[in-house]
Amino acid sequence: MYDLLIKGGRVIDPLQNLDDTLDVAIIGDKIAAITEDIPRQQSQKVIDTRGKIVTPGIIDLHCHVAGSLITMSVDPDTAGVKQGVTTVVDAGSTGEAIFNGFPRYVIPSSRTRVFCFLHISSQGHSVRPELRDWQEINLDATIATIEAHRDVIKGVKIRLLGNIVASSGVEVVDMVKKTAKKLGLPIMVHIGDYYEKISPTLTQEFLPLMERGDILTHVFTAKRGSILRPDGTILPELREAMERGVVLDIAHGRRNLSYDVVRKCMDQGISPTTLSSDLTAMSLSHPVYGMTVTMTKFLALGFSIRQVIEMSTANPARAIGEEKRIGSLKPEMEADVSILEFLPGKWKLEDAEQQTIEIDRLIAPSVTVKAGQVIPAEPVAKPQPIN
Ligand SMILES: [Zn+2]
């Protein structure tokens, strides 16, 4: 007997190469079976998903979910299960001095699965811009915090803006990289300096330091530090990084997604590895909303539904080293499932540069299943249609 049967939906699971009408059966918190026509009588509970899309639980690789620890944050469930997302990765809202609030307060009160990147700056985003001087970095304490929380911390974050980065440039990235490497973790590097203080050539200079599994976040930013040269061509260092297996993460946010940059990159054969929202309290109601709206934008920009789902499930799972547990609907994996639907209508969706695209279908969350628990999707904010 199954506990839950997700019946009759269009199941898209890129890792298993599936795009078909299938049923997904769950026992406890694990996927038990995925096949055609499982009888209703074999399950305690059935969710009818005809006309809907059933995918592995969506993972947001870059958002700010420190809840009440940091004012700019949202709580994990706002970015997570309330909008069809089963796993959220906090991208460095906290550094070693304040990280303890996550396991103590934020994670226990969330239904969404939560992982973190630890900011190299001790106070994380409670100081902005961070890294005003070297006293904001404590490598020993950073290493000790990571060692004590290996189950939650998946890498080290640095943003390429602020005083130290402006004065020391690639040296500070090198230091972060060496520290993370010793711990066997990737670095996540934010490009897009909206303060316009860093050297315009810094991205070219630090990209050769990045190795397989390191994450370049805000890859389609139009701000200083962009992967495009002034003539619109891609930095050769970016192409080389991509070939080495560096993760290209989009991290939409209020400031760092340009449709124009996306189109120029697509024309030159560059695709992102992962979609992510960079959701904060400031972008929740506009222009970001969250993952499904970000996925809708990339669908409208020309990526296929399969690609968009792969960039939001299997690829981010691999980026945090959790691909054996989440990111697919294979039997034995965690029973994290996103049930989505296409809403017809007309919307104008903005990037971070006040450019809009008009769309006629919106990917909307319907039901979230996290570790076998059924949670109705009730987004806190969603884009309003136009007439
Ligand atoms: Zn961010």
Side-chain angles (χ1 to χ4, degrees):
M1 194 72 173
Y2 299 120
D3 293 320
L4 179 64
L5 181 60
I6 299 169
K7 192 155 181 58
R10 175 183 172 192
V11 174
I12 305 180
D13 181 354
L15 207 65
Q16 299 194 79
N17 205 16
L18 293 177
D19 182 351
D20 224 331
T21 304
L22 292 167
D23 296 345
V24 182
I26 291 166
I27 297 177
D29 57 4
K30 297 285 186 293
I31 304 287
I34 174 167
T35 183
E36 282 173 18
D37 295 324
I38 300 174
R40 289 174 172 268
Q41 311 82 269
Q42 290 182 13
S43 180
Q44 305 272 9
K45 203 169 169 186
V46 180
I47 307 178
D48 191 339
T49 54
R50 271 174 301 176
K52 295 189 176 159
I53 295 173
V54 176
T55 76
I58 294 169
I59 302 167
D60 192 344
L61 184 65
H62 181 150
C63 51
H64 293 278
V65 291
S68 55
L69 297 179
I70 303 283
T71 47
M72 63 173 275
S73 279
V74 294
D75 70 79
D77 292 347
T78 297
V81 292
K82 286 185 186 164
Q83 51 166 303
V85 174
T86 52
T87 299
V88 293
V89 184
D90 183 85
S93 300
T94 64
E96 51 81 17
I98 53 175
F99 171 78
N100 275 339
F102 260 105
R104 204 166 292 165
Y105 307 113
V106 180
I107 295 174
S109 59
S110 305
R111 301 186 79 179
T112 312
R113 211 177 283 286
V114 180
F115 296 111
C116 295
F117 276 71
L118 190 68
H119 206 304
I120 194 66
S121 180
S122 298
Q123 302 294 332
H125 283 337
S126 61
V127 175
R128 282 170 75 87
E130 66 278 23
L131 297 185
R132 291 159 303 180
D133 61 62
W134 289 99
Q135 285 178 0
E136 287 181 32
I137 300 181
N138 181 338
L139 288 185
D140 290 342
T142 297
I143 292 166
T145 301
I146 292 172
E147 293 287 21
H149 299 280
R150 286 272 185 184
D151 52 337
V152 177
I153 299 175
K154 296 295 181 180
V156 185
K157 169 90 185 286
I158 180 166
R159 297 203 306 160
L160 294 193
L161 45 76
N163 283 353
I164 293 184
V165 178
S167 60
S168 73
V170 73
E171 190 192 320
V172 62
V173 187
D174 188 43
M175 188 195 72
V176 175
K177 173 65 193 164
K178 283 182 177 142
T179 306
K181 196 170 179 172
K182 254 189 259 169
L183 293 156
L185 291 176
I187 52 171
M188 179 187 270
V189 182
H190 160 130
I191 53 171
D193 174 18
Y194 39 87
Y195 299 100
E196 303 196 333
K197 281 194 171 158
I198 62 159
S199 154
T201 58
L202 182 58
T203 298
Q204 253 163 293
E205 292 162 36
F206 85 83
L207 276 173
L209 297 178
M210 295 189 89
E211 295 180 299
R212 181 173 196 82
D214 288 329
I215 301 165
L216 184 71
T217 196
H218 305 306
V219 66
F220 298 131
T221 185
K223 303 290 191 287
R224 185 176 288 188
S226 157
I227 62 168
L228 294 180
R229 294 184 281 201
D231 66 359
T233 59
I234 301 280
L235 293 173
E237 291 84 355
L238 188 275
R239 218 176 269 284
E240 289 160 18
M242 210 175 93
E243 281 158 15
R244 285 197 301 281
V246 169
V247 173
L248 308 183
D249 176 47
I250 75 117
H252 187 325
R254 269 190 309 159
R255 296 190 174 100
N256 291 302
L257 176 70
S258 156
Y259 294 146
D260 191 38
V261 173
V262 178
R263 291 191 185 102
K264 284 183 176 142
C265 287
M266 286 174 78
D267 288 346
Q268 295 172 73
I270 303 291
S271 296
T273 319
T274 52
L275 305 185
S276 63
S277 70
D278 192 15
L279 193 67
T280 62
M282 289 93 83
S283 61
L284 177 61
S285 55
H286 182 79
V288 177
Y289 304 97
M291 276 302 283
T292 54
V293 175
T294 303
M295 290 164 76
T296 301
K297 290 174 179 176
F298 278 79
L299 195 62
L301 286 161
F303 291 94
S304 70
I305 185 72
R306 182 201 155 114
Q307 285 175 310
V308 161
I309 290 168
E310 189 169 22
M311 290 167 185
S312 311
T313 58
N315 292 358
R318 202 176 307 117
I320 53 171
E322 289 286 331
E323 69 273 21
K324 292 203 169 74
R325 290 171 65 209
I326 55 175
S328 168
L329 298 171
K330 284 185 193 160
E332 301 302 315
M333 291 181 82
E334 299 283 335
D336 288 5
V337 188
S338 298
I339 300 168
L340 311 171
E341 58 194 326
F342 278 123
L343 298 183
K346 276 207 187 312
W347 291 263
K348 271 187 180 168
L349 299 179
E350 242 178 52
D351 64 5
E353 302 288 337
Q354 292 81 51
Q355 299 299 306
T356 57
I357 32 173
E358 214 172 291
I359 57 150
D360 56 14
R361 56 178 185 168
L362 185 75
I363 303 173
S366 168
V367 177
T368 312
V369 178
K370 153 74 195 316
Q373 300 298 308
V374 179
I375 303 158
E378 289 162 344
V380 172
K382 48 190 169 189
Q384 293 307 310
I386 53 169
N387 295 316

